[in-house]
């Protein structure tokens, strides 16, 4: 791999000064291969007796990673150095999953072997289907996913030894392979149809669509347009640096928890509407607005902070979300090829137009993110809104497990243990109940 190692520059340091006492503390600055320099404050508490406060990690690097790079001002997203646009246009999800997991694009031989490994792990233990029956039919599929993915640890004992690299690899393959099967089962369960087993002659995206939309009563032919769009959606969601769910996976993994439990934790974090749940929230918002003439009223409500414009804004991207650009192109193509005329799309386009020109959104650098368009494509494909975040989880699993694998391969892997700025009561005497 031609990636230079990040290094501590002995000549680069950063000095903190206590304005009251004039005391100074100097810390090394670490230079990454790209992105801002980073002050190494690991000994900050030991040396100064103080903590630093950064509750939502706006200025804190939680780890070193070689997997994904984002430059939010330029709207740049690279996986192992490869531009997301190139990957979405020229690669496929299996290749991107390999790239994230192993660091380089595969040779033909490596690709075939990886594809075969994933394909032959797509079936889930037959007993797992009984878990689904424990859920109500109207259960949110993300609730089901939190449960059944965590439950995988109860079925695959032979890959739970996290100190063994081969077992870690098998777990990674199992997770990437079985997530679509479990997601499709959650979907089938919600619509009361029989589960459809995976098919080894189909690609990853085709197999997923087949498991979701085939029924035993008649043959189902996967549309190449939909398979291509699904593959793009999977690529665009595959990894995104240290976002909330990935950080959750890493933090869970830092306690030496097994990978299935860690990914279940990631799924729980992804579910929230500020994160992966936004794709569902976008569609619900468009439905709530209902018609173009209600947009000004809605926009005013956003400005009055009654609600947020879902699918807009990003903690890191302050220019544009490069995933959204590709997703929009894909969205236009799918809708045109399927001949779908969705009135919600018109509302979406008008919202986008207003938000991109209104000073309120421009000043706050609020641009459409990937979730603004993905829901529209998924709806056109026939998925109900509740499935949107599940699809995100299917794809992001390869990013999560690559990040987990990278963390487990590090020599010193200490448990993550944030500290706090305590603002509660000071020590006080206990008062008996009758005296309170
Ligand atoms: N609609 C209206 N105002 C917004 C929005 C929005 N979507 N996002 C941020 N703002 C405003 C916010 O009110 C604040 O304004 P002010 O300065 O007047 O107080 C300012 O912009 C900064 O907001 P913030 O909450 O500090 O920004 P953040 O970096 O903490 O939040 C975010 C990032 C993605 C959670 C947020 O933009 C948001 O809630 N967006 C809608 C949900 C969404 O689309 N999420 C998907 C993100 S992309 C996929 C993924 O990561 O899963």
């Amino acid at each position: 791999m031609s990636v230079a190692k990040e290094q501590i520059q002995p000549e680069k340091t950063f000095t903190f000064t206590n304005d009251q006492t004039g005391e100074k503390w100097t810390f090394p600055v670490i230079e990454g291969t790209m992105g801002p320099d980073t002050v190494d404050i690991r000994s900050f508490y030991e040396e100064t007796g103080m903590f630093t406060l950064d509750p939502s990690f706006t200025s804190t690097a939680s780890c070193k990673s070689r997997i994904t790079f984002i430059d939010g001002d330029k709207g740049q997203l690279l996986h192992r150095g490869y531009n997301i646009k190139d990957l979405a246009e020229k690669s496929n999800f299996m290749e991107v999953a390999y790239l994230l997991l192993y660091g380089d694009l595969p040779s033909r031989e490596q690709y075939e072997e990886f594809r075969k490994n994933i394909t032959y792990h797509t079936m889930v233990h037959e007993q797992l289907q009984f878990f689904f029956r424990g859920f109500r039919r109207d259960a949110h599929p993300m609730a089901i996913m939190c449960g059944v993915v965590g439950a995988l640890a109860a079925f695959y004992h032979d890959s739970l030894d996290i100190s063994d690299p081969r077992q870690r690899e098998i777990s990674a393959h199992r997770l990437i392979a079985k997530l679509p099967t479990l997601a499709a089962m959650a979907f089938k369960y919600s619509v009361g149809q029989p589960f459809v087993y995976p098919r080894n002659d189909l690609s990853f995206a085709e197999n997923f669509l087949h498991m979701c939309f085939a029924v035993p009563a008649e043959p189902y032919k996967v549309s190449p347009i939909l398979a291509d769009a699904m593959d793009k959606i999977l690529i665009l969601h595959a990894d995104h640096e240290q976002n909330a769910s990935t950080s959750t996976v890493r933090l869970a993994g830092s306690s030496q928890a097994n990978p299935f439990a860690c990914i279940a934790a990631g799924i729980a974090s992804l579910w929230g509407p500020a994160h992966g749940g936004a794709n569902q929230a976008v569609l619900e918002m468009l439905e709530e607005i209902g018609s173009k003439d209600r947009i000004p009223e809605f926009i005013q409500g956003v400005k009055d902070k009654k609600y947020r414009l879902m699918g807009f804004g990003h903690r890191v991207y302050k220019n544009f979300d490069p995933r959204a650009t590709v997703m929009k192109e894909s969205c236009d193509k799918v809708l045109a090829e399927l001949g779908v005329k969705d009135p919600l799309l018109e509302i979406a386009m008008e919202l986008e137009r207003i938000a991109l020109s209104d000073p309120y959104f421009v000043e706050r650098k609020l641009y459409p993110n990937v979730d603004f368009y993905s829901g529209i494509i998924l709806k056109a494909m026939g998925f109900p809104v509740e499935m949107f975040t599940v699809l995100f989880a299917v794809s992001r699993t390869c990013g999560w497990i690559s990040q987990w694998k990278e963390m487990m391969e590090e020599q010193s892997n200490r448990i993550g243990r944030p500290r706090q700025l305590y603002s509660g009561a000071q020590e006080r005497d206990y008062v008996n109940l009758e005296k309170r």
Side-chain angles (χ1 to χ4, degrees), residues 274-301:
H275 192 5
N279 50 15
Q280 173 173 348
V282 169
L283 248 281
E284 286 167 351
M285 172 189 79
L286 296 176
E287 272 160 10
E288 171 111 14
I289 296 172
S291 61
K292 268 165 74 174
D293 54 300
R294 290 198 55 212
I295 294 179
E297 177 194 333
F298 178 80
I299 293 279
Q300 192 51 52

Side-chain angles (χ1 to χ4, degrees), residues 124-134 185 195 197:
V124 292
H125 195 288
E126 195 62 8
Q127 229 171 306
L128 253 164
Q129 59 175 289
F130 300 118
F131 275 64
F132 286 83
R133 293 196 197 150
M185 288 170 86
F195 298 136
Y197 287 101

Side-chain angles (χ1 to χ4, degrees), residues 274-276 278 305 308-312 315 364 366 369 371:
H275 192 5
K305 299 204 187 284
R308 284 200 165 201
L309 184 50
M310 300 313 285
F312 271 71
R315 169 62 61 77
R364 287 170 180 75
L366 299 172
N369 59 49
D371 288 323

Side-chain angles (χ1 to χ4, degrees), residues 182-325:
L182 294 173
M185 288 170 86
F187 176 48
K188 286 298 194 190
Y189 186 75
S190 71
V191 288
Q193 290 180 5
F195 298 136
V196 174
Y197 287 101
R199 261 182 45 187
N200 291 352
D201 60 324
L202 299 177
S203 74
F204 191 89
E206 286 169 340
N207 178 47
F208 179 54
L209 290 171
H210 187 264
M211 288 189 294
C212 286
F213 296 117
V215 288
E218 58 185 22
Y220 172 80
K221 192 160 168 0
V222 182
S223 145
I225 301 165
L226 296 193
D228 185 53
M230 177 54 69
D231 201 62
K232 277 204 176 45
I233 290 174
L234 293 170
I235 293 173
L236 293 174
H237 289 87
D239 192 49
H240 212 227
E241 209 227 51
Q242 306 310 320
N243 54 82
S245 57
T246 304
S247 300
T248 303
V249 169
R250 279 185 176 262
L251 195 54
S254 79
S255 76
Q256 315 285 310
N258 72 70
F260 301 105
C262 296
I263 300 302
I267 292 174
S269 169
L270 185 75
W271 194 0
H275 192 5
N279 50 15
Q280 173 173 348
V282 169
L283 248 281
E284 286 167 351
M285 172 189 79
L286 296 176
E287 272 160 10
E288 171 111 14
I289 296 172
S291 61
K292 268 165 74 174
D293 54 300
R294 290 198 55 212
I295 294 179
E297 177 194 333
F298 178 80
I299 293 279
Q300 192 51 52
V302 172
K303 290 181 185 173
D304 295 341
K305 299 204 187 284
K306 285 194 209 146
Y307 21 74
R308 284 200 165 201
L309 184 50
M310 300 313 285
F312 271 71
H314 197 275
R315 169 62 61 77
V316 183
Y317 294 123
K318 297 298 174 197
N319 186 335
F320 67 95
D321 177 344
R323 302 168 301 170
T325 315

Side-chain angles (χ1 to χ4, degrees), residues 7-10 12-14 27-31 37-40:
Q7 13 185 296
I8 297 181
Q9 301 292 322
K12 270 199 175 182
T13 54
F14 192 89
F27 295 90
V29 169
I30 306 180
E31 219 174 59
D37 288 355
T38 304
V39 186
D40 181 353

